Amino acid sequence: MATERPDLAAMLYPLVRELIALELPVLAAHEVSMWGYSVLTALDDTPVRTQAALAEAIGADKSRIIGTLDELQRSGLIERTPDPADRRVRLLSITPQGRRVRRTVRKEIQAQEEQVLTALAPADRKTFVRILQELHTSR
């Protein structure tokens, strides 16, 4: 008989909560919200997007992120420009300052994550991260 284990969500949820708690001070130090960081990450990965495409990419309602986009634009982290093909549509792009903030935040977050991952042997750390990346990209 196979050994029973907790459901994946039951094992991952406490870890995710801990990781989010570690991220929040980093985000606050750079005056970026979690949604703001998600926007910057999506725009850094694919530089120009419509608001609708961005919302879909980060799993947010497009009306929900308007305030976040306003904050990021006021901070000089993104630009919104009219689409030459359709002036009703706004194209979003990350600014050089936004790219620097996003990359600094990611570096600091990943340094915090390393502290959590020290519970694993180095080879297990690499395997764990690789498997998470595979699961992430397969969705």
Side-chain angles (χ1 to χ4, degrees):
M1 180 175 172
T3 305
E4 285 197 34
R5 65 163 175 79
D7 299 339
L8 294 176
M11 291 187 287
L12 289 173
Y13 184 68
L15 176 61
V16 169
R17 274 196 350 244
E18 180 181 353
L19 293 171
I20 290 171
L22 290 172
E23 286 183 17
L24 291 175
V26 172
L27 294 168
H30 294 280
E31 299 178 346
V32 177
S33 68
M34 189 73 75
W35 279 114
Y37 180 61
S38 294
V39 167
L40 293 175
T41 298
L43 292 176
D44 201 16
D45 292 343
T46 305
V48 178
R49 293 181 183 254
T50 64
Q51 194 167 299
L54 172 71
E56 184 177 327
I58 65 171
D61 180 88
K62 64 182 172 180
S63 63
R64 160 74 175 87
I65 63 167
I66 291 172
T68 299
L69 297 176
D70 290 343
E71 289 172 21
L72 292 171
Q73 186 174 15
R74 274 193 303 274
S75 298
L77 304 179
I78 67 165
E79 292 178 343
R80 290 190 271 197
T81 56
D83 184 343
D86 183 349
R87 308 273 306 158
R88 297 168 297 171
V89 174
R90 298 280 179 237
L91 298 177
L92 306 171
S93 60
I94 191 169
T95 65
Q97 180 185 353
R99 187 167 281 113
R100 280 190 301 277
V101 167
R102 183 275 185 157
R103 291 179 181 174
T104 299
V105 168
R106 174 168 279 177
K107 183 179 177 183
E108 291 178 20
I109 285 172
Q110 289 182 354
Q112 295 287 336
E113 291 169 347
E114 283 301 314
Q115 297 304 310
V116 173
L117 294 174
T118 59
L120 301 175
D124 290 341
R125 264 185 246 167
K126 276 180 93 168
T127 301
F128 179 71
V129 171
R130 181 185 53 77
I131 290 169
L132 284 179
Q133 286 175 312
E134 285 177 25
L135 288 171
H136 174 73
T137 57
S138 72
R139 299 279 169 253

